[in-house]
Amino acid sequence: MSLIPKKGNVYVVDDDEAVRDSLQWLLEGKDYRVKCFDSAESFLTRYDPREVACLIADIRMEGMTGLELQDRLIERKSPLPIVFITGHGDVPMAVQTMKKGAMDFIEKPFKEEELLALVERMLDQARDAFSSHQEAASRDALLARLTTREAQVLERIVAGRLNKQIADDLGISIKTVEAHRANIMEKLNANTVADLLKIALGATAKA
């Protein structure tokens, strides 16, 4: 068994067994971890969104098409980068997938070097996207701990309102606002207002 760590996870979804075998042989030979599926439906039942991975999918398949698979992943807010395999007549359809966020498409028969370069680009993007996705999920989990009133106070803190203004807005005392602020800081694990803003606004917040 090789002690060299795998480069990344690649999902292959294609109803053509010969294409799946060819891609698996090529990618595993370059030390990628490959998981093959013969339909979009079987992929969706076993896809783990917690994995840093990318997807190579045929655009035309029996049952759910590659386009429909892409729509399902968009509905799930999946950060999974996708490249589509297309036949010559499928180029207009492939362009449509790129407008929806697919990274690229390659025409059959494709060049190995072209595919491998795309896989590496997709995995680079996946690492960034999954990191952002995890941060957003963690932030959402923290914010979900707030009560409705605390969320209202936080919204006004982010808007730059002072305690007295927040008290007037919500019809509560300044002491109550201060108590809510303390609870918010504790629940969000924030030590400063700058920390609070970063959590509330996400990665785009400026300290």
Side-chain angles (χ1 to χ4, degrees):
M1 181 182 290
S2 172
L3 297 178
I4 301 171
K6 299 290 183 183
K7 290 181 181 176
N9 297 301
V10 183
Y11 295 118
V12 175
V13 181
D14 198 306
D15 56 3
D16 185 327
E17 185 178 3
V19 172
R20 293 197 307 273
D21 288 348
S22 174
L23 286 169
Q24 185 164 13
W25 177 84
L26 170 64
L27 293 165
E28 287 185 345
K30 297 297 181 181
D31 216 35
Y32 294 101
R33 186 180 290 107
V34 183
K35 297 180 182 179
C36 292
F37 301 88
D38 61 5
S39 71
E41 292 89 344
S42 62
F43 165 71
L44 285 172
T45 60
R46 296 173 62 187
Y47 163 52
D48 185 351
R50 295 168 298 181
E51 284 188 336
V52 176
C54 65
L55 169 63
I56 301 171
D58 192 5
I59 208 161
R60 286 188 186 274
M61 293 183 283
E62 292 293 325
M64 187 186 296
T65 66
L67 272 171
E68 291 167 334
L69 171 58
Q70 183 184 27
D71 287 339
R72 293 288 182 89
L73 290 169
I74 290 170
E75 286 171 12
R76 295 185 182 189
K77 296 182 170 57
S78 167
L80 188 68
I82 308 172
V83 63
F84 284 100
I85 302 172
T86 71
H88 179 67
D90 297 331
V91 171
M93 197 186 302
V95 171
Q96 186 180 343
T97 69
M98 290 188 70
K99 289 179 179 177
K100 290 184 177 181
M103 194 153 181
D104 211 333
F105 64 90
I106 51 174
E107 287 188 78
K108 301 173 186 175
F110 50 82
K111 296 177 182 175
E112 291 184 2
E113 298 79 9
E114 180 185 358
L115 178 66
L116 291 169
L118 275 174
V119 166
E120 201 51 46
R121 277 175 50 209
M122 284 198 293
L123 285 171
D124 283 344
Q125 178 179 304
R127 291 178 193 106
D128 292 341
F130 277 79
S131 174
S132 299
H133 188 68
Q134 288 298 101
E135 286 175 12
S138 298
R139 187 170 65 250
D140 290 346
L142 284 175
L143 293 171
R145 298 167 66 184
L146 301 182
T147 65
T148 301
R149 179 63 89 193
E150 287 166 352
Q152 292 170 340
V153 171
L154 177 59
E155 183 182 344
R156 286 159 175 80
I157 293 171
V158 171
R161 305 284 283 170
L162 302 175
N163 284 359
K164 184 178 186 311
Q165 294 171 317
I166 296 172
D168 290 342
D169 289 345
L170 300 177
I172 57 180
S173 71
I174 294 176
K175 280 194 172 182
T176 302
V177 173
E178 290 171 348
H180 283 316
R181 283 186 78 127
N183 287 339
I184 292 166
M185 298 286 278
E186 183 178 349
K187 286 183 178 180
L188 300 187
N189 300 323
N191 296 316
T192 66
V193 174
D195 291 340
L196 203 61
L197 292 177
K198 285 178 184 175
I199 295 166
L201 299 176
T204 57
K206 306 296 182 187

